[in-house]
Amino acid sequence: MSYYQDQGADAQFTDITRSGASPEGVSCEAALKRLHVRDQAGRLRSGAAAFAALWRATPGWRWLGVLGGCPPFVWIGEGLYRLFLPVRPHVQKLVRRFGSGLSS
């Protein structure tokens, strides 16, 4: 999420691992498993639709957010997101382990 913050996303980010504050109607456990975004209209989105909403709020990514939020792309994105979720913890470990060397 820090990448999107650095890109100037018009969004408020909440790290629920530190604050414990999950979106209304979403348990903390569920919020940790999937990305959740409240869009500009106030609707809570999760998964691929949440990424599309985040991209729409990020300069340089808006076009992808518009495209990614439309059928069939949002459906394809959701399928890919669900396939990625089980491997995400392993990817995060690799990024933490080797990430510092990538920026040099």
Side-chain angles (χ1 to χ4, degrees):
M1 294 300 101
S2 62
Y3 172 81
Y4 296 106
Q5 288 175 310
D6 293 344
Q7 295 300 307
D10 182 17
Q12 178 182 348
F13 296 89
T14 303
D15 182 353
I16 64 168
T17 61
R18 293 183 187 187
S19 69
S22 60
E24 185 179 330
V26 179
S27 71
C28 189
E29 181 182 353
L32 287 169
K33 289 182 179 179
R34 293 175 60 90
L35 176 66
H36 291 79
V37 171
R38 191 165 305 281
D39 67 18
Q40 290 180 333
R43 293 176 300 236
L44 187 62
R45 307 286 187 179
S46 75
F51 271 102
L54 179 57
W55 293 335
R56 282 191 302 273
T58 306
W61 289 82
R62 288 187 176 107
W63 67 272
L64 186 58
V66 171
L67 183 65
C70 295
F73 301 110
V74 71
W75 303 327
I76 294 167
E78 183 62 27
L80 293 172
Y81 185 75
R82 288 178 186 208
L83 289 173
F84 174 71
L85 286 176
V87 298
R88 183 181 71 167
H90 306 290
V91 172
Q92 288 173 321
K93 285 179 187 174
L94 287 173
V95 168
R96 282 188 210 109
R97 187 173 195 175
F98 300 108
S100 60
L102 295 175
S103 60
S104 34

